[in-house]
Amino acid sequence: MKNRLLLIVAILGSLTLLTALLSARISREKTGTLFGGMINPVVPAAARPAGGLKTRAVVLIVMDGFRWQEVFDGPEHDLMDEKHGGAQDVKQLRKDFWRDTPEEGRKNMMPFLWGEVAQKGEIYGNQHKGSVAQVTNGLKFSYPGYNEMSTGHADKRIDSNEYGLNPNTTVFEWLNRKPEFHDQVAVFGTWNTYNDIFNPKRSGLFVRAGWDLPWAQQLTPREQALKKLYETTTRVEDDDSFDSFAHQDLLNYLGTHSPHALFVGYGGTDDWAHEGKYDLVLQAAHQDDQAIAELWNTMQGIAAYRDQVTFIVTTDHGRGGGLEQWKNHDKDIDGAENIWIAVIGPDTPALGEMTNVPRVTQSQIAATIAALLGQDYRAFDQAAAPPLPVVTGWANQATRSAPTSK
């Protein structure tokens, strides 16, 4: 009798264990139908950064074509009208964004950037205070800019947004090839051309960009609702979806994945500037700031990321100045080479708004992403610029010979 009882107990224990394993597998399948991954997997030791760095994940966020002038000086009062800024409701616009000082205006427009990032990290590009950040590609528009920031150098061959598939290996592709980062690198954005820039067929990167996204057969109710919005919303720009859509798609992904390197591209600030709608540029910037805050808080709420993630927030190019040229950017527009770069993370000192420092460049971003993860991207591509000086002991080796704009 005793032996029978022991046998029954053993059988029941085995069944309990088997049920638990099956339940866990079913749960993963149900929650990962869109992206097919595990929920917040444990970080392998090999993927943890070396050299005493705390960063285990880096997120590069780009607000397309958003000027350094608005970032540091706040909304430009001369453009907050119908004639020069194309405002639909001037009274409401000024109520929402007009403030008496640049400091009040910029913090009201972007409370997370100025209340969190600039307080606990570093922000470059305020030329009034001796901080210059620039692109080096000379063309001052999107594809050359994204290539520069993701490969570490300009490529003269890429002279059009319609160039096609990127022949260069980005830092994201390079990381994805490494066993410790493989399938833990992703790209999310509004612009369809990200599919060319990051070249997923060759690179193997997980890319979700533009309007026409691939969807799994089985979707959660949240995913189904988002898919419906993508399919039925009127497209203001045929090749550029809405920031809010891409952002929700990204949050869905983070529910089932824990990437080590992540690219996020928001396009609204550039789209509305080209349309001459200054009020909508400011709204888009404010909403992007809220999205970045939500992304930061979401990742800080995940144990695998808490106090171990670095955000790099920047733009791909600048724009012109004055009452008309703020709408435009290209190689012939003075000042469109000027950008801004902000960094916050566990390894970056809280130096805030940088003052009287050597010039930094967009080309330094690629090596910075790799270095924060304990990797040497320049050993792979010697043409890449050195990392930004955003960690104590990292000297700025970028060239200072390029002229700065007034």
Side-chain angles (χ1 to χ4, degrees):
M1 179 66 71
K2 183 177 180 180
N3 289 336
R4 287 183 180 178
L5 288 173
L6 290 174
L7 180 60
I8 291 171
V9 169
I11 292 172
L12 289 173
S14 298
L15 288 173
T16 301
L17 178 59
L18 180 60
T19 301
L21 290 172
L22 288 172
S23 297
R25 180 175 179 178
I26 291 169
S27 176
R28 287 198 300 270
E29 290 173 351
K30 285 183 176 179
T31 58
T33 53
L34 175 57
F35 304 112
M38 293 180 63
I39 296 177
N40 303 329
V42 175
V43 184
R48 294 172 189 153
L53 295 174
K54 298 176 182 178
T55 297
R56 67 159 295 272
V58 179
V59 183
L60 172 60
I61 303 169
V62 183
M63 295 174 60
D64 199 298
F66 191 56
R67 301 192 305 172
W68 71 272
Q69 290 94 326
E70 276 74 25
V71 170
F72 294 102
D73 296 340
E76 191 168 329
H77 291 178
D78 289 344
L79 299 178
M80 298 174 75
D81 61 14
E82 184 178 0
K83 180 179 180 180
H84 301 295
Q88 301 172 83
D89 186 336
V90 175
K91 183 177 180 181
Q92 187 63 47
L93 170 63
R94 295 185 177 188
K95 177 182 177 182
D96 291 341
F97 293 108
W98 187 298
R99 298 297 182 271
D100 292 335
T101 68
E103 291 76 16
E104 291 174 324
R106 69 192 190 186
K107 188 171 183 180
N108 171 69
M109 177 181 63
M110 304 183 76
F112 181 73
L113 181 70
W114 287 105
E116 185 76 10
V117 179
Q119 295 298 314
K120 298 180 180 179
E122 301 176 6
I123 183 166
Y124 295 82
N126 189 347
Q127 298 197 12
H128 307 310
K129 295 187 176 181
S131 176
V132 175
Q134 294 180 321
V135 306
T136 67
N137 58 68
L139 297 177
K140 313 176 194 177
F141 60 86
S142 291
Y143 198 146
Y146 287 111
N147 174 75
E148 180 181 331
M149 74 176 73
S150 61
T151 67
H153 52 80
D155 185 343
K156 293 182 179 179
R157 295 173 296 176
I158 298 175
D159 58 1
S160 166
N161 283 340
E162 290 74 40
Y163 176 81
L165 295 175
N166 193 346
N168 302 307
T169 299
T170 68
V171 67
F172 296 97
E173 177 179 351
W174 179 74
L175 287 169
N176 194 54
R177 290 177 180 174
K178 293 179 171 292
E180 62 268 40
F181 298 104
H182 186 63
D183 287 340
Q184 310 226 12
V185 184
V187 173
F188 283 78
T190 61
W191 195 28
N192 188 60
T193 305
Y194 292 140
N195 290 294
D196 287 337
I197 295 169
F198 295 101
N199 201 347
K201 288 185 178 179
R202 186 200 67 214
S203 67
L205 289 171
F206 183 81
V207 179
R208 287 178 68 81
W211 282 102
D212 300 313
L213 303 180
W215 298 94
Q217 301 242 341
Q218 295 182 346
L219 300 175
T220 66
R222 180 186 176 97
E223 293 162 359
Q224 289 174 349
L226 184 60
K227 179 175 181 287
K228 188 74 171 177
L229 286 173
Y230 267 101
E231 293 174 344
T232 61
T233 299
T234 300
R235 302 183 179 188
V236 178
E237 297 283 343
D238 192 56
D239 64 347
D240 204 8
S241 66
F242 293 124
D243 294 352
S244 57
F245 290 10
H247 180 68
Q248 293 303 317
D249 195 37
L250 170 59
L251 293 180
N252 287 344
Y253 172 82
L254 288 175
T256 57
H257 288 70
S258 293
H260 291 301
L262 187 61
F263 172 91
V264 183
Y266 298 123
T269 44
D270 187 71
D271 291 341
W272 294 121
H274 281 301
E275 294 293 326
K277 303 290 187 182
Y278 194 66
D279 52 346
L280 300 184
V281 171
L282 300 182
Q283 288 180 31
H286 182 69
Q287 290 162 359
D288 286 349
D289 182 81
Q290 291 179 314
I292 295 168
E294 183 178 22
L295 181 59
W296 175 264
N297 292 329
T298 296
M299 296 185 77
Q300 292 297 332
I302 299 171
Y305 288 127
R306 190 173 300 119
D307 299 325
Q308 299 179 88
V309 61
T310 292
F311 275 23
I312 302 172
V313 189
T314 186
T315 188
D316 54 327
H317 56 75
R319 314 188 85 84
L323 298 178
E324 290 298 327
Q325 292 287 38
W326 67 272
K327 305 171 188 176
N328 305 314
H329 60 90
D330 61 36
K331 62 184 178 61
D332 298 320
I333 302 294
D334 290 338
E337 69 275 12
N338 298 316
I339 60 170
W340 53 278
I341 305 173
V343 183
I344 182 174
D347 301 302
T348 300
L351 301 180
E353 192 173 359
M354 305 303 286
T355 303
N356 297 323
V357 292
R359 168 182 176 262
V360 296
T361 65
Q362 184 180 68
S363 57
Q364 294 180 262
I365 292 173
T368 304
I369 294 169
L372 284 165
L373 294 171
Q375 306 295 314
D376 184 3
Y377 180 65
R378 299 182 78 205
F380 162 74
D381 189 345
Q382 296 181 358
L388 294 161
V390 295
V391 172
T392 301
W394 291 7
N396 186 20
Q397 304 171 48
T399 176
R400 301 172 64 182
S401 60
T404 59
S405 297
K406 293 181 181 178

